[in-house]
Amino acid sequence: MRVIIAEDQALLRDGLARLFTDKGHAVAATLGSTDGLMELVATTSPDLVVLDIRMPPSYTDEGVTAARLLKLDRPDLGVLLLSQHIETANAADLVAWPAFGYLLKDRVFEVDEFVEAAERVAGGGSALDPKVVAAMVGSRRGAGKLDLLSDRERDVLGLMAEGLTNAGIADRLSLSPRTVEAHVSHLLTKLDIDDSDTAHRRVLAVLSYLNSDTSP
Amino acid sequence: MNESAARVAVILAVTLTVVLETVAVALTLGVGALDQALIYAVYAIVQVLAGAAVVWSHPRHRVGWLLVVSSLFTTTFTDALLAYGKQAALHGWPAAAPAQVVALSGWMVAALGLVLLFLWFPDGRVRGPGRWIPWVGALGALLGLPGWALNPRLSPEFAGHVNPYAASATWTEALFLCGTALVVAALLASVVVFVLRFRSSEGVEHLQLKWMAFAAAAVAVVLPISAVLWTVWPPVQLLAAAALTLLPVATSVAILRYHLYDVDLIVSRTVAYAAITGLLAATYAAVVVLAGAALSSPMAAAVGALVVAVAFRPVRDRVQETVDRRFRRARYETRRVMADFVDALRRGVASVDDLEDQLRAAVGEPTCTVAFDTGTEGWLDIHGQPVTDDVRRRVPTTIATSAHLAPVVVHPPGAERLVLEALDAGRLAFEIAALQAGLRRQVDELDASRARVVAVADQERRRLARDLHDGAQQRLVTIGLSLRHVQHTLDGSAPEAIHDLDEAVTELAHAIDDLRELAGGLRPSSLDHGLRAALDDLASRTPSPVRLDVTTERFTPEIETAAYFIAAEGLTNAVKHARAQRIDLAVAHDAGQLVVAIDDDGMGGADLRRGTGLVGLADRARSHGGTLEITSRPGAGTSLRATLPCA
């Protein structure tokens, strides 16, 4: 996997690069801002771009802007946003994209999970921080069908939203894959979501359900 | 006639009058009553000067010319001619008899001047039915003049006591009576016209007429008294002369508007002192007579003086008040209104906020403004607000005090005296109002300073939050990454060290969480994206369901922060204290106000006076010039509504 990292703090940037190389990935380039990112992507054809959200010059949402531009240009390119804290306002219109991830920076401490998530994004999947999911689920609470779910089903829904596969969910919750499958089937029925064949489309359906403002 | 010609003319008239009167007085020596000549001289000169003063500034004023001309007439044809006639008769100079007969009958013509004065005053125009009056007077003078000049009754007035022109007593007397009756009728009619005009007048004209009325009344009172006492007590003659000179003086004062507004004061002082003098003189006389029966006469006089001295002060106050009630209605009313107001304040049934209205009513000037002088920081109005400069530039009156917050009354010119009366009678009210204005000013300053403190604190929180996010947290993440890299390079060679590094990284993750929470409490970074985003985020972290209706509009950071923390504290209260199952949070922009409303279905009973959380919210709202209202009945839920100006 070829990775480009854009992060304004030099030490952190180097740390991230080292983390990817430690796990056997190639770091194609590192940048301190989003300047020249598009050209670099064009010349190096990476599988994944890791972006800090706050970067020069305004330190507000440069990373989000760059992610949008990249997605418009190359919808299949993996884009992973890193942030110091979760802002649902940023995530709202991004989470439904394929090959997109949004994680808190401290997720890097769990190196294996973090690299796994990055690989998932590079492969066209999703990776949403549990806090992002919690915020999305939380803001939908009291609004209808989510109340119908059992606690276990809600856990499963959260992990689905994070982008995990059934196997990944089974692993995380220490359940058998069959049990997870049953939970998934139940909760999708309760929420009126088609049980799509691919894991990715299922995630998108869940995310768009959680993210939609008009559904009950 | 133009101004300079008029001035030359009156200078000549004045000079002529003075010269002729001097001559008249000189000629009177040895042939007539010197004291009377002197009095006539003074009267004529005063009158011509009064007329000259009017003409000087109003060259075309008929009343001014009337005074000048009638003075000149009296001087020439009465005073000077009479003195000459008598001297001529004594020394055998020519024309002794014609001079005397003209001088002795001239008063009839002079009386016409008085008729015209009453008709013309104060602006020289005759209104209504008055036009025919001078003609009646003139006809009377025309008939009366020969009737008097040829009358045998005039004989005693001549030197030698013989009227050389005396004719038949019957028809001269008839002519005289006829003429005199017409002149007197004209005079009375002119006075009636004057009185009618006085009663229907208002404003400045009323005051002018009042001056004249005062002088006329003084003449009407003094002349009969002095006529009775003329020979008994000669000094009364001076009083008569003084009273007579009042007429031209009052005329001039009224027309020139010099001290126009003091007429009430002068009337009341005059009446009061006359009354006091009469009362005390009567008291003294009564005591002396009564005590004289029992005591020696010096003792009786001493007792009389003592009684008068003791009675003076209370008698003066009572008389002055009674006189004020009658003759200085304005002063009396002013003091009464203010005294009533102070009394109402004492009884707690009036508000000192009404002071300005009360003052306006008391003085009768609806444009009066009350202010308080802080000395160094300009004036404050009654509400403690700074007074604009354009008010300050108007004519002020102040209480004679240099105290802090001395009352200042801004009023139209001419109201000084009543304003001073109001300030004096309402002193307590003005002092309370001054204290209140000062206090309100301080409260305003405190509010402003609290707003500044909150704004600075919010700014500081924002800076701290950013520093925590971008500084400390990033550094900790970097350190964690480094530790993981070290762990990776150890590659299982030192299991204990790898375990320790794991623990260190876990601790780092906790530290980052702690910092994140701390920074979020200082100021949620979600506020960068507006209230809607921040409150979405907040609601998602609230354990009870929150129904949101939040505007997407953006406001200033200060207002957004205030609204956010009010909403956050409100939600916390609803969940923690009220144990609400359902919460509605609405934020809307309504006519320049940002309204934050939080309604829950909890147990209610919240009270602004208890619990620092709610008081803090109220403080926060107030520091932005807003308000916080809480409706919370036990068992009926709580409704919290904060309004912040955001225009």
Side-chain angles (χ1 to χ4, degrees):
Chain A
M1 181 165 77
R2 290 164 61 76
V3 185
I4 290 181
I5 300 168
E7 157 69 54
D8 60 301
Q9 297 220 346
L11 284 173
L12 190 53
R13 188 167 64 229
D14 295 348
L16 283 168
R18 215 160 46 202
L19 183 148
F20 280 108
T21 39
D22 284 350
K23 286 289 174 182
H25 296 293
V27 175
T30 61
L31 298 95
S33 73
T34 55
D35 287 347
L37 177 63
M38 303 300 284
E39 293 77 11
L40 263 180
V41 169
T43 52
T44 59
S45 307
D47 303 299
L48 180 70
V49 177
V50 179
L51 286 166
D52 183 12
I53 286 189
R54 292 182 188 234
M55 275 191 289
S58 76
Y59 294 96
T60 52
D61 57 356
E62 280 75 8
V64 177
T65 311
R68 285 206 179 94
L69 288 174
L70 284 175
K71 280 293 183 188
L72 277 176
D73 201 30
R74 300 160 176 252
D76 299 331
L77 174 66
V79 173
L80 177 58
L81 282 180
L82 294 184
S83 173
Q84 204 61 253
H85 45 77
I86 289 303
E87 295 159 12
T88 45
N90 275 338
D93 67 314
L94 297 174
V95 292
W97 290 341
F100 175 76
Y102 182 14
L103 297 175
L104 280 177
K105 278 186 181 168
D106 34 334
R107 299 297 165 212
V108 299
F109 291 169
E110 299 308 317
V111 179
D112 293 335
E113 272 179 39
F114 177 74
V115 174
E116 236 175 74
E119 286 165 350
R120 201 160 65 232
V121 170
S126 293
L128 288 190
D129 197 276
K131 290 209 166 152
V132 177
V133 175
M136 291 166 74
V137 173
S139 66
R140 305 287 310 159
R141 258 214 331 259
K145 294 178 183 167
L146 277 183
D147 293 339
L148 303 172
L149 302 188
S150 69
D151 288 349
R152 187 51 98 187
E153 283 166 351
R154 212 171 282 141
D155 293 341
V156 174
L157 179 73
L159 291 174
M160 283 166 73
E162 281 180 40
L164 270 60
T165 57
N166 280 5
I169 294 170
D171 195 33
R172 197 72 75 80
L173 296 178
S174 312
L175 298 170
S176 75
R178 285 186 56 83
T179 319
V180 171
E181 263 169 45
H183 284 314
V184 167
S185 153
H186 279 143
L187 75 88
L188 289 178
T189 312
K190 282 181 182 171
L191 299 180
D192 281 338
I193 296 174
D194 286 339
D195 192 358
S196 308
D197 44 352
T198 69
H200 173 64
R201 284 177 60 187
R202 194 183 67 184
V203 171
L204 289 188
V206 169
L207 286 176
S208 68
Y209 172 82
L210 288 175
N211 203 36
S212 88
D213 277 325
T214 51
S215 67
Chain B
M1 183 181 289
N2 68 39
E3 188 175 273
S4 50
R7 289 183 174 179
V8 170
V10 291
I11 288 171
L12 283 176
V14 169
T15 312
L16 197 55
T17 306
V18 172
V19 169
L20 284 176
E21 286 295 350
T22 312
V23 169
V25 169
L27 287 176
T28 306
L29 287 167
V31 292
L34 184 62
D35 46 358
Q36 285 186 27
L38 273 173
I39 287 170
Y40 293 145
V42 168
Y43 171 69
I45 290 169
V46 167
Q47 182 171 338
V48 81
L49 284 175
V54 172
V55 171
W56 198 262
S57 50
H58 302 78
R60 306 177 68 88
H61 206 295
R62 286 166 91 178
V63 177
W65 286 111
L66 176 65
L67 290 177
V68 170
V69 169
S70 67
S71 178
L72 211 50
F73 177 88
T74 318
T75 299
T76 312
F77 292 104
T78 307
D79 301 352
L81 216 50
L82 184 64
Y84 171 79
K86 294 203 169 177
Q87 285 287 359
L90 193 65
H91 294 102
W93 297 340
Q100 287 183 73
V101 80
V102 168
L104 286 170
S105 42
W107 60 270
M108 229 166 208
V109 177
L112 286 179
L114 212 52
V115 171
L116 288 176
L117 182 61
F118 278 114
L119 286 175
W120 285 355
F121 184 83
D123 55 2
R125 277 189 293 275
V126 189
R127 286 189 207 128
R131 294 179 193 287
W132 48 266
I133 295 175
W135 301 110
V136 173
L139 180 63
L142 210 59
L143 294 175
L145 212 52
W148 183 242
L150 308 180
N151 201 313
R153 278 210 291 137
L154 194 56
S155 293
E157 303 291 335
F158 280 85
H161 302 292
V162 175
N163 180 357
Y165 303 101
S168 154
T170 319
W171 68 263
T172 49
E173 191 66 18
L175 269 180
F176 170 68
L177 287 178
C178 227
T180 313
L182 286 174
V183 169
V184 168
L187 191 56
L188 285 178
S190 69
V191 169
V192 168
V193 168
F194 172 81
V195 168
L196 290 176
R197 192 169 180 174
F198 177 50
R199 295 184 62 153
S200 67
S201 65
E202 48 191 23
V204 167
E205 196 190 56
H206 186 73
L207 289 174
Q208 289 177 317
L209 291 164
K210 203 184 252 184
W211 264 106
M212 184 69 161
F214 165 65
V219 171
V221 169
V222 168
L223 283 191
I225 293 176
S226 37
V228 171
L229 298 176
W230 199 260
T231 48
V232 183
W233 190 51
V236 86
Q237 295 174 9
L238 274 178
L239 192 64
L244 271 177
T245 55
L246 264 182
L247 265 181
V249 169
T251 306
S252 173
V253 160
I255 291 173
L256 297 175
R257 304 187 181 187
Y258 178 75
H259 278 289
L260 187 59
Y261 292 89
D262 289 345
V263 63
D264 284 333
L265 179 70
I266 288 172
V267 169
S268 97
R269 286 277 153 82
T270 309
V271 173
Y273 281 111
I276 293 164
T277 306
L279 268 175
L280 293 181
T283 310
Y284 179 77
V287 170
V288 168
V289 168
L290 285 177
L295 301 167
S296 65
S297 119
M299 273 296 270
V303 170
L306 187 66
V307 169
V308 166
V310 169
F312 178 72
R313 184 66 193 264
V315 165
R316 193 196 63 180
D317 289 352
R318 281 306 293 271
V319 167
Q320 187 72 58
E321 200 200 314
T322 312
V323 167
D324 278 352
R325 198 177 309 164
R326 178 65 193 83
F327 291 98
R328 284 177 82 196
R329 202 68 210 169
R331 173 184 187 267
Y332 175 76
E333 283 295 326
T334 297
R335 295 196 69 97
R336 189 185 59 77
V337 169
M338 292 312 292
D340 284 356
F341 179 54
V342 168
D343 190 46
L345 276 181
R346 278 212 187 91
R347 286 185 288 120
V349 295
S351 158
V352 77
D353 286 342
D354 300 334
L355 175 63
E356 204 165 65
D357 290 340
Q358 292 288 335
L359 175 77
R360 287 169 174 176
V363 179
E365 292 287 356
T367 58
C368 280
T369 308
V370 176
F372 302 97
D373 190 356
T374 62
T376 49
E377 291 161 67
W379 294 359
L380 300 180
D381 69 10
I382 199 154
H383 306 295
Q385 299 294 314
V387 170
T388 54
D389 280 350
D390 82 299
V391 173
R392 293 193 60 168
R393 273 195 285 274
R394 280 148 55 189
V395 187
T397 287
T398 36
I399 268 193
T401 163
S402 58
H404 182 59
L405 293 173
V408 183
V409 176
V410 181
H411 55 76
E416 285 92 344
R417 199 167 291 282
L418 286 185
V419 165
L420 280 172
E421 296 287 356
L423 282 168
D424 185 51
R427 187 177 298 273
L428 181 69
F430 281 96
E431 279 170 11
I432 295 172
L435 288 176
Q436 182 175 291
L439 211 57
R440 283 177 172 166
R441 178 81 195 133
Q442 286 178 3
V443 169
D444 285 349
E445 277 167 5
L446 267 182
D447 277 348
S449 119
R450 180 162 52 186
R452 282 196 299 275
V453 167
V454 171
V456 167
D458 283 349
Q459 214 177 336
E460 196 59 16
R461 292 165 90 115
R462 219 170 17 245
R463 197 184 60 75
L464 263 177
R466 184 146 301 158
D467 284 355
L468 284 179
H469 283 312
D470 298 339
Q473 282 192 51
Q474 302 258 37
R475 247 168 244 270
L476 292 181
V477 172
T478 309
I479 292 167
L481 271 180
S482 300
L483 294 180
R484 285 301 190 207
H485 177 66
V486 171
Q487 223 175 8
H488 178 78
T489 49
L490 286 175
D491 198 19
S493 62
E496 271 179 35
I498 285 173
H499 176 73
D500 288 350
L501 285 171
D502 264 342
E503 281 192 348
V505 169
T506 309
E507 280 306 305
L508 271 179
H510 286 316
I512 289 172
D513 270 344
D514 288 349
L515 277 183
R516 185 177 291 126
E517 214 152 280
L518 187 61
L522 286 174
R523 181 183 178 277
S525 49
S526 50
L527 260 183
D528 291 352
H529 303 284
L531 264 178
R532 170 73 174 270
L535 292 178
D536 264 345
D537 198 39
L538 179 67
S540 74
R541 287 186 275 111
T542 304
S544 305
V546 180
R547 197 154 51 186
L548 281 176
D549 181 10
V550 180
T551 175
T552 51
E553 224 178 304
R554 297 300 307 261
F555 305 92
T556 62
E558 292 77 22
I559 292 293
E560 287 188 339
T561 307
Y564 176 85
F565 279 109
I566 287 168
E569 184 67 29
L571 288 184
T572 307
N573 268 320
V575 173
K576 223 159 88 186
H577 303 300
R579 292 189 218 120
Q581 296 307 304
R582 172 146 219 131
I583 306 167
D584 282 303
L585 170 58
V587 180
H589 186 185
D590 180 25
Q593 309 271 324
L594 182 63
V595 182
V596 181
I598 301 157
D599 299 277
D600 69 49
D601 61 354
M603 50 203 262
D607 190 341
L608 248 187
R609 282 162 298 185
R610 281 178 297 159
T612 51
L614 289 177
V615 174
L617 289 193
D619 271 352
R620 206 171 244 287
R622 255 204 306 278
S623 75
H624 292 282
T627 56
L628 182 82
E629 292 162 37
I630 291 178
T631 319
S632 185
R633 284 199 315 278
T638 299
S639 182
L640 187 150
R641 192 180 161 87
T643 310
L644 304 169
C646 64

